[in-house]
Amino acid sequence: AHGAGHFVGCGFLMDMRDSPTDRAAGEADEMFFVDDDPRLTMYGTGLEDYVNDAWGVRGYTGSLSGSSVQGEGAEGTRMAGYRLHVSDPVPFTRTGRFTVEHGTGNNCSGLYKSVAYWYMDPSLTRTRTEEWRWQDLRSGKRKMNQDDE
């Protein structure tokens, strides 16, 4: 994402059925790259910890995080999970990027899908005229009418 905002969660699916190995797929570390500043980068300890299911993805459903796993070993594995950052959003001012390794050190192949949830600063999407209206409303120079809603 480019611009100011807050990362508030994600969902993901990893399908290892056609990959040569599913070894350590859940050990994929999550990483937040905030404003391209190495001091603000956050490294996690693996997807199983990220979805609050330590010691392997076993499957559970919670209000803010959860996971599911199907298959195992030679039959192939499918894992899915989600995590919502309602109480701990990740703010960024210029850019925000969330990535997940494909296994430890990116050593797992497979099909990876994900969706990220984030809020952008609404002032960045306003036209110049709309921004002037909002500035006038905040300063009291203008009263709100139906056209401003």
Side-chain angles (χ1 to χ4, degrees), residues 116-130:
Y117 308 110
W118 61 284
Y119 290 102
M120 184 175 179
D121 181 347
S123 67
L124 298 175
T125 61
R126 293 185 195 135
T127 65
R128 200 173 270 156
T129 303
E130 290 172 323

Side-chain angles (χ1 to χ4, degrees), residues 40-81:
L40 300 176
T41 299
M42 296 176 264
Y43 291 93
T45 57
L47 281 179
E48 75 277 18
D49 297 327
Y50 180 68
V51 297
N52 296 309
D53 192 14
W55 299 102
V57 175
R58 296 167 291 194
Y60 84 99
T61 303
S63 59
L64 299 177
S65 62
S67 62
S68 171
V69 65
Q70 294 177 332
E72 58 183 64
E75 299 171 21
T77 301
R78 292 178 69 182
M79 291 186 286

Side-chain angles (χ1 to χ4, degrees), residues 134-146:
W134 280 106
Q135 288 173 0
D136 288 348
L137 286 169
R138 284 191 295 256
S139 68
K141 292 181 185 176
R142 180 183 177 131
K143 301 290 184 207
M144 184 173 272
N145 59 43
Q146 281 186 318

Side-chain angles (χ1 to χ4, degrees), residues 7 14 19 21 25 31 61 63-64 79 84 90 97 101 108 114 122-125 129 133:
F7 176 85
M14 298 183 302
S19 66
T21 177
M31 293 168 262
T61 303
S63 59
L64 299 177
M79 291 186 286
L84 301 176
V90 180
R97 187 166 48 107
E101 284 182 310
C108 292
S114 66
S123 67
L124 298 175
T125 61
T129 303
R133 284 183 187 157

Side-chain angles (χ1 to χ4, degrees), residues 1-18:
H2 295 281
H6 290 82
F7 176 85
V8 294
C10 72
F12 62 87
L13 170 71
M14 298 183 302
D15 188 339
M16 306 297 174
R17 290 178 295 183
D18 295 327

